[in-house]
């Protein structure tokens, strides 16, 4: 297999000193397309945040071969204020942050890239519309356009198809496959098992600890999924529920 | 017609104190309008309110040392505002209390403490002066201070505008791409305190946020972009100042409340007839859904 894009080494992530992800080790190879699957409270979002660097590991470490600047991260939609008064084009241009920073002007080249990105996600001519007027699906397309502007070699998606209509999901999945074809490394937190089986060659099964990590057909077996559900029931019986990132 | 127009400007032509009050309103509007908009978008409206009260004990300590002098009140107020903003932020980060609750706790404390401190040495008139401000008594020195703060605030805001707006929209994204959101947040808090200290001169601690939050809330109903919202807020704030001063002159009303009530009038009007998300803007759409 090709070289490692991201390496997790005994990674433990905690909120308020209570561990949400424990002792995860493994490698995301360059160009891999991985789904992260697990029950509620399994630490899936936490793991993504740990990889991006939004949460500092309390043990172990994350190594990113090309540096964190090469990671683009799509948070859950619930964390973004959709009524915010901003134009679609400006929201997409934010993807160029690493190039424009605080001061540099948004020139015609970036404007052009914004147009291209909007057409790529099926929102041609939406640049001058306010974000507040979009549906949930259209808003998710805007966030994908922003990812396009980031032009990163590693892309992390946190529940990208939640609360999104079927057509949008299909369009955006096509975009994800396109990225995969361009040899980008993609990691997505997903709930829909059918989607995972159909589109994601590799799956990481997480229940605070790493249960399985490998080819989707070997990982998404009834036995493994049953084991995963059993673990989440154990936490609920133990009565201590950890904060999931989006709560 | 000409004479009616003249009536609108006559008080400002005739009296120096009215002119200074109007210029103070202009400076405050330019400084506070955008700050109010960003506070609103960051869902920190009440935090602004709390911080304006937090200015009080500092100003009171300044008062104890130097009476109603400009620099005593300003420096004291600035220091106290910063301290409360910092401590409330720390409490929110290190305890289970949410930021708004910790701000509420601090501002009640500072309000009580401030009133107590002023009463120890001053008269009730001094207390009124500090609580409600005296925009008609703004002298050249105070005017210079207010105008400098407005200029500084506008300049700094222009520098940190992009990351600040991005951080409002999607804080996780900014952090993920390596933008230092926390740093800009801190700079922004300093600007908030500075502007509060400026409007404290004119409107007092109790109503200093009047020209900050009411015009910002008004602008939300008319605009769909941050920059136009800032502009609308500043214009509304200045109009409120202008109309409020005229009303207070004509009918012998206290000027601070007249200005804030005028701003409130704009706000209520916008709730009803504003272009975006107001009561009337929502009505026809609902009918369409039914039909």
């Amino acid at each position: 297999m090709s070289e490692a894009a991201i390496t997790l080494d005994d990674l433990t992530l905690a909120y308020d000193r209570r561990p949400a992800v424990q002792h995860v080790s493994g490698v995301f190879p360059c160009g891999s397309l991985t789904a992260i699957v697990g029950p509620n409270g399994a630490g899936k979002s936490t793991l993504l945040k740990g990889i991006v660097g939004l949460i500092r590991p309390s043990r172990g470490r994350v190594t990113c071969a090309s540096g964190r600047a090469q990671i683009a991260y799509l948070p859950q939609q619930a964390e973004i204020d959709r009524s915010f008064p901003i134009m679609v084009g400006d929201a997409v241009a934010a993807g160029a942050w690493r190039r424009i920073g605080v001061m540099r002007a948004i020139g015609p080249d970036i404007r052009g890239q914004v147009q291209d990105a909007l057409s790529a996600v099926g929102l041609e001519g939406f640049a001058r519309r306010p974000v507040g007027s979009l549906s949930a699906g259209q808003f998710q397309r805007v966030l994908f356009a922003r990812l396009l502007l980031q032009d990163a070699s590693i892309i992390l998606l946190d529940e990208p198809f939640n609360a999104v209509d079927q057509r949008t999901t299909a369009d955006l999945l096509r975009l994800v496959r396109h990225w995969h074809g361009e040899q980008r490394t993609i990691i997505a937190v997903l709930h829909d098992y059918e989607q995972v089986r159909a589109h994601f060659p590799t799956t990481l099964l997480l229940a605070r600890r790493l249960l399985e990590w490998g080819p989707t057909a070997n990982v998404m077996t009834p036995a493994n999924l049953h084991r995963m559900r059993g673990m989440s029931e154990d936490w609920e019986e133990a009565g201590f529920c950890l904060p999931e990132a989006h709560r | 017609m000409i004479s009616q127009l003249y009536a609108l400007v006559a008080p400002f032509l005739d009296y120096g104190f009215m002119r200074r009050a109007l210029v103070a309103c202009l400076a405050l509007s330019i400084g506070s309008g955008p700050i109010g908009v960003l506070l609103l978008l960051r869902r920190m409206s009440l935090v602004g309110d709390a911080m304006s009260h937090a200015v009080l004990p500092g100003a009171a300590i300044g008062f104890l040392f130097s009476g109603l002098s400009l620099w005593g009140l300003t420096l004291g107020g600035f220091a106290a505002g910063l301290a409360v903003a910092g401590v409330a932020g720390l409490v929110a980060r290190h305890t289970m209390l949410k930021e708004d609750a910790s701000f509420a706790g601090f501002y009640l404390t500072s309000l009580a403490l401030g009133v107590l401190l002023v009463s120890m040495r001053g008269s009730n008139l001094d207390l009124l002066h500090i609580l409600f401000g005296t925009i008609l008594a703004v002298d050249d020195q105070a005017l210079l201070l207010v105008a400098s703060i407005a200029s500084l605030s506008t300049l700094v805001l222009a520098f940190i505008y992009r990351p600040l707006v991005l951080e409002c929209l999607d804080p996780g994204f900014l952090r993920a791409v390596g933008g230092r959101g926390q740093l800009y947040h801190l700079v922004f808090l300093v600007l908030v305190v500075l502007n509060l200290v400026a409007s404290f001169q004119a409107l007092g601690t109790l109503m200093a946020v009047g020209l900050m939050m009411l015009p910002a809330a008004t602008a939300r109903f008319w605009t769909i972009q941050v920059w136009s919202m800032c502009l609308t807020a500043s214009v509304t704030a200045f109009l409120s100042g202008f109309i409020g001063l005229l009303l207070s002159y004509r009918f012998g009303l206290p000027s601070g409340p007249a200005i804030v009530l005028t701003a409130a009038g704009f706000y209520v009007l916008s709730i009803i007839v504003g272009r975006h998300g107001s009561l009337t803007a929502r009505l026809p759409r609902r009918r369409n859904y039914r039909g």
Side-chain angles (χ1 to χ4, degrees), chain B residues 169-184:
Chain B
L169 173 70
D170 188 352
F173 170 77
L174 188 66
R175 277 174 65 203
V177 294
R180 280 162 300 176
Q182 281 298 322
L183 174 73
Y184 303 114

Side-chain angles (χ1 to χ4, degrees), chain A residues 114-155:
Chain A
V114 169
Q115 299 294 350
D116 295 346
L118 282 173
S119 343
V121 296
L123 289 180
E124 236 157 350
F126 272 64
R128 302 289 304 158
R129 288 214 204 168
V131 160
S133 67
L134 304 182
S135 69
Q138 288 171 328
F139 187 75
Q140 197 66 356
R141 287 170 191 259
V142 169
L143 294 183
F144 268 75
R146 188 175 73 184
L147 285 174
L148 279 170
L149 243 76
Q150 286 184 257
D151 191 26
S153 64
I154 301 168
I155 299 169

Side-chain angles (χ1 to χ4, degrees), chain B residues 9-27 135-136 138-140 143 238 242 245 249:
Chain B
V9 293
F12 302 107
L13 294 178
D14 294 346
Y15 297 103
F17 70 87
M18 287 293 280
R19 272 201 298 280
R20 274 195 294 273
L22 190 67
V23 175
C25 280
L26 178 63
I135 191 161
L136 295 181
V138 166
D139 57 15
D140 289 346
L143 202 55
F238 179 65
F242 179 70
L245 281 173
Y249 175 82

Side-chain angles (χ1 to χ4, degrees), chain B residues 60-69 114-127 130:
Chain B
I61 291 171
F63 173 77
L64 283 185
F65 280 104
S66 58
L68 285 174
S69 88
V115 170
L116 196 83
L117 284 174
V118 176
S119 307
M120 272 167 59
R121 216 188 86 177
S123 63
N124 274 346
L125 202 65
D126 294 326
L127 189 59
I130 290 179

Side-chain angles (χ1 to χ4, degrees), chain A:
Chain A
M1 195 90 191
S2 57
E3 59 195 295
I6 296 171
T7 310
L8 310 181
D9 179 17
D10 190 28
L11 181 65
T12 299
L13 300 160
Y15 287 107
D16 291 335
R17 275 173 249 129
R18 290 195 293 182
V21 171
Q22 287 177 304
H23 310 300
V24 176
S25 296
V27 171
F28 295 97
C30 280
S32 59
L33 175 56
T34 311
I36 299 181
V37 175
N40 282 330
K44 305 180 297 284
S45 298
T46 309
L47 181 59
L48 283 197
K49 287 183 179 175
I51 295 173
V52 189
L54 292 179
I55 302 174
R56 201 164 288 171
S58 48
R59 249 192 92 158
R61 65 177 169 192
V62 181
T63 326
C64 182
S66 50
R68 283 237 164 84
Q70 271 305 317
I71 302 181
Y73 164 63
L74 180 75
Q76 283 182 32
Q77 222 185 70
E79 292 173 22
I80 304 169
D81 177 10
R82 274 180 49 203
S83 68
F84 196 85
I86 192 169
M87 292 297 173
V88 167
D90 292 341
V92 173
W97 171 267
R98 287 201 186 271
R99 282 173 281 161
I100 57 179
V102 181
M103 300 295 296
R104 251 155 292 153
I106 297 175
D109 53 330
I110 289 178
R111 287 276 164 223
Q113 287 169 19
V114 169
Q115 299 294 350
D116 295 346
L118 282 173
S119 343
V121 296
L123 289 180
E124 236 157 350
F126 272 64
R128 302 289 304 158
R129 288 214 204 168
V131 160
S133 67
L134 304 182
S135 69
Q138 288 171 328
F139 187 75
Q140 197 66 356
R141 287 170 191 259
V142 169
L143 294 183
F144 268 75
R146 188 175 73 184
L147 285 174
L148 279 170
L149 243 76
Q150 286 184 257
D151 191 26
S153 64
I154 301 168
I155 299 169
L156 310 186
L157 309 168
D158 197 348
E159 302 195 9
F161 310 123
N162 242 18
V164 166
D165 57 285
Q166 283 191 344
R167 232 188 91 198
T168 303
T169 303
D171 285 354
L172 296 181
L173 263 173
R174 206 169 305 133
L175 200 58
V176 168
R177 277 204 306 272
H178 179 70
W179 285 334
H180 183 50
E182 291 175 332
Q183 291 301 305
R184 297 181 204 259
T185 311
I186 301 157
I187 307 168
V189 171
L190 292 171
H191 277 305
D192 186 332
Y193 295 168
E194 290 315 307
Q195 232 167 47
V196 173
R197 290 195 178 99
H199 304 286
F200 289 76
T202 315
T203 300
L204 188 163
L205 214 55
L206 188 70
R208 294 190 190 166
R209 296 162 180 281
L210 181 63
L211 289 186
E212 295 287 336
W213 189 351
T216 299
N218 301 352
V219 171
M220 298 285 283
T221 59
N224 279 339
L225 294 176
H226 183 75
R227 191 153 66 99
M228 175 187 95
R229 272 191 287 270
M231 290 190 77
S232 76
E233 277 157 20
D234 284 350
W235 310 329
E236 276 155 27
E237 272 166 31
F240 84 109
C241 204
L242 287 163
E244 179 81 328
H246 55 83
R247 215 171 276 164

Side-chain angles (χ1 to χ4, degrees), chain B residues 215-240:
Chain B
T218 304
R220 191 74 174 88
F221 288 105
W222 297 99
T223 52
I224 46 171
Q225 287 196 77
V226 183
W227 67 267
S228 52
M229 204 174 149
C230 291
L231 202 66
T232 313
S234 284
V235 171
T236 316
F238 179 65
L239 279 179
S240 307

